[in-house]
Amino acid sequence: IAARGELRHNPAHLIDIVPTALELAGVKPPQTWGSKPVPAAPGRSLLPAFERDGTVLHDALWWLHEGNRALRM
């Protein structure tokens, strides 16, 4: 990562870890599991944010955990 010590303001969520790891590894997500299609992952790769702030956009982020919930648009 060339940008070191720089602050990023991109909101991110746990769902972004898998797409980021897959892109880092150069691996495409599976299209099928067995004979059934795999739905698109809800997360986004965070790699563009490593280069420049404001590059990872989410339509919405939401979570529900132990009675706590939030929606960020």
Side-chain angles (χ1 to χ4, degrees):
I1 301 172
R4 296 194 184 276
E6 295 180 17
L7 180 62
R8 296 293 187 253
H9 296 93
N10 288 87
H13 194 280
L14 185 63
I15 61 174
D16 298 324
I17 292 175
V18 169
T20 303
L22 289 175
E23 188 174 348
L24 276 170
V27 176
K28 299 275 185 198
Q31 299 299 309
T32 59
W33 184 265
S35 61
K36 300 188 187 242
V38 175
R44 307 262 197 253
S45 173
L46 299 174
L47 284 186
F50 295 166
E51 296 298 321
R52 191 169 52 107
D53 195 20
T55 55
V56 179
L57 303 175
H58 291 88
D59 296 331
L61 291 173
W62 65 272
W63 54 93
L64 171 64
H65 181 68
E66 294 184 352
N68 301 298
R69 58 195 174 273
L71 171 64
R72 181 172 192 213
M73 302 291 288

